[in-house]
């Protein structure tokens, strides 16, 4: 039998469906595109094209991996976020669309700061950078913005410190920074933000942003296989109650942000009230909880009053 694109897609999406994928057809299409080096639309104009032996073998291997629950992003080795493709490996969390909202809140704040103080350098810390998606997207936003304002008065720029405890994650993040040409703007370092010694690196950041691990024990066991068995536990687990990193960040960021600096946190959608009161008990002001596309609480933003 000759396998055409159409028959391969049909067979593999039926198969992935029986294996519990919620998006079997789309998964099959992305994986086939990767094997063939196609864009999605090219599949549709080549439905009758036969697959050769080598392509079939590589595709079968991809489908096998997907059937075992491995996320498509790890198989492809990349994931799109905020309009850019990020390299991902099993050392980093796969960037989520919700996290793009966190980036937007930060860029809004940078924009506002530029209006009130156009000359001072703006400093941002991305605590737990993983793939680097947050830090790099902010840098890309800045580059686009500065291109538009070439004729306006110069400013002293933006610097983003991106920390992670995992060396393997930092390798991925640095590769992404090279890929997207963010140069000196994003500075990666291996730092354990929970180690008090890291406080001495405090640099007076305007904005601290973090999408920390926030899954507690109870939720962990209920996670989908693709997450639980494939994404790094280090990036997911927020200790038994899921709030450990918020406690640490609430304290740490109060000490290291400039007066009127802000903190931006992604949260699990049931953690809004808890994280809000946690920040308030650490002296943060104007604490607000923002919703995501599904209208779930997803970001908490607060101001350091002093
Ligand atoms: N900052 C990265 C992201 O948002 C990694 C977050 C994490 O590993 N918890 O995807």
């Amino acid at each position: 039998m000759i396998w055409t694109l159409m028959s391969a897609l049909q067979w593999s999406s039926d198969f992935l469906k029986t294996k519990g994928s919620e998006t079997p057809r789309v998964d099959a299409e992305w994986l086939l595109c990767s094997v063939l080096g196609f864009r999605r639309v090219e599949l549709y104009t080549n439905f009758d094209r036969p697959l050769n032996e080598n392509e079939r073998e590589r595709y079968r291997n991809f489908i096998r991996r997907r059937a075992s629950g491995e996320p498509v992003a790890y198989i492809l080795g990349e994931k799109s976020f905020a309009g850019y493709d990020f390299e991902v490996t099993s050392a980093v969390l796969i960037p989520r669309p919700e996290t793009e909202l966190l980036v937007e809140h930060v860029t809004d704040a940078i924009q506002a700061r530029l209006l009130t103080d156009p000359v001072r350098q703006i400093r941002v810390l991305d605590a737990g950078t993983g793939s680097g998606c947050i830090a790099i997207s902010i840098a890309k936003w800045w580059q686009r913005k500065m291109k538009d304002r070439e004729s306006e008065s110069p400013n002293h720029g933006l610097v983003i410190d991106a920390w992670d405890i995992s060396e393997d994650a930092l390798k991925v993040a640095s590769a992404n920074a090279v890929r997207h040409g963010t140069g000196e703007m994003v500075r990666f370092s291996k730092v354990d933000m929970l180690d008090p010694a890291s406080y001495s690196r405090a640099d007076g950041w305007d904005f601290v942003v973090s999408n920390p691990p926030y899954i507690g024990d109870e939720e962990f066991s209920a996670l989908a296989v693709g997450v639980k068995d494939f994404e790094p536990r280090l990036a997911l687990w927020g200790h038994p109650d899921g709030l450990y990193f918020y406690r640490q960040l609430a304290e740490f960021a109060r000490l290291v942000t400039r007066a009127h600096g802000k903190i931006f946190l992604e949260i699990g959608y049931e953690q809004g009230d808890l994280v809000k009161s946690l920040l308030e008990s650490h002296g943060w002001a104007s604490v607000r909880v923002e919703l995501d596309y599904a209208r779930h609480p997803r970001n908490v933003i607060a101001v350091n009053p002093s």
Side-chain angles (χ1 to χ4, degrees):
M1 166 174 175
I2 296 176
W3 281 91
T4 61
L5 263 61
M6 173 124 73
S7 52
L9 277 175
Q10 190 60 47
W11 167 81
S12 51
S13 48
D14 289 348
F15 177 63
L16 291 179
K17 196 167 178 186
T18 67
K19 293 292 177 181
S21 165
E22 283 173 13
T23 50
R25 176 74 189 197
V26 179
D27 293 357
E29 289 187 4
W30 278 119
L31 294 171
L32 190 55
C33 281
S34 171
V35 166
L36 300 172
F38 276 14
R39 287 173 294 126
R40 279 283 278 299
V41 49
E42 289 176 278
L43 292 179
Y44 290 87
T45 51
N46 286 282
F47 264 157
D48 297 328
R49 176 187 180 289
L51 292 176
N52 66 35
E53 182 59 36
N54 176 284
E55 291 162 347
R56 258 193 347 249
E57 190 44 44
R58 281 167 46 228
Y59 188 52
R60 220 179 278 131
N61 178 36
F62 278 4
I63 293 295
R64 218 175 282 134
R65 286 170 65 183
R66 180 67 195 116
S68 77
E70 185 171 352
V72 171
Y74 287 146
I75 303 173
L76 300 178
E78 63 179 24
K79 173 78 183 178
S80 159
F81 178 86
Y84 297 93
D85 287 334
F86 285 86
E87 176 186 327
V88 291
T89 70
S90 57
V92 300
L93 196 80
I94 298 167
R96 304 294 204 269
E98 291 86 347
T99 307
E100 294 173 354
L101 296 171
L102 192 65
V103 170
E104 277 172 33
H105 289 303
V106 178
T107 53
D108 285 351
I110 295 173
Q111 172 85 31
R113 180 58 53 92
L114 269 179
L115 291 175
T116 54
D117 188 353
V119 282
R120 202 187 63 184
Q121 184 185 59
I122 297 174
R123 311 171 75 92
V124 178
L125 170 66
D126 174 17
T129 196
S131 62
C133 62
I134 296 175
I136 293 166
S137 311
I138 295 171
K140 293 309 288 179
W141 171 85
W142 178 267
Q143 286 177 340
R144 289 197 306 271
K145 181 161 184 61
M146 287 304 127
K147 222 165 132 209
D148 294 345
R149 359 188 309 160
E150 252 160 6
S151 55
E152 292 175 43
S153 63
N155 62 70
H156 293 100
L158 172 73
V159 170
I160 306 167
D161 289 297
W163 290 358
D164 208 285
I165 193 174
S166 157
E167 234 158 83
D168 288 338
L170 286 168
K171 277 186 201 145
V172 175
S174 306
N176 280 320
V178 171
R179 178 174 186 167
H180 294 303
T182 49
E184 313 272 277
M185 276 177 75
V186 185
R187 309 184 298 202
F188 294 101
S189 354
K190 182 177 188 298
V191 178
D192 178 358
M193 62 175 153
L194 308 181
D195 176 358
S198 67
Y199 290 30
S200 64
R201 305 173 67 117
D203 232 351
W205 287 284
D206 295 282
F207 305 120
V208 172
V209 56
S210 186
N211 174 21
Y214 56 70
I215 312 289
D217 282 344
E218 216 171 292
E219 300 80 33
F220 204 92
S221 49
L223 286 176
V225 173
V227 181
K228 189 168 47 181
D229 295 351
F230 291 91
E231 298 203 71
R233 186 179 164 85
L234 190 64
L236 294 167
W237 187 59
H239 294 229
D241 70 356
L243 297 172
Y244 183 75
F245 291 92
Y246 298 119
R247 277 189 210 99
Q248 303 294 326
L249 280 163
E251 185 194 331
F252 168 73
R254 267 279 276 158
L255 299 173
V256 301
T257 45
R258 289 170 167 164
H260 313 296
K262 290 186 175 178
I263 187 167
F264 302 82
L265 299 170
E266 179 166 322
I267 56 160
Y269 69 89
E270 288 174 327
Q271 295 170 323
D273 293 340
L274 292 166
V275 174
K276 183 171 191 280
S277 41
L278 215 150
L279 286 169
E280 280 164 350
S281 72
H282 280 85
W284 289 89
S286 312
V287 185
R288 59 177 220 271
V289 178
E290 297 282 344
L291 307 179
D292 65 15
Y293 307 114
R295 310 210 60 73
H296 290 136
R298 186 60 65 192
N299 298 141
V300 182
I301 302 169
V303 179
N304 184 359
S306 53

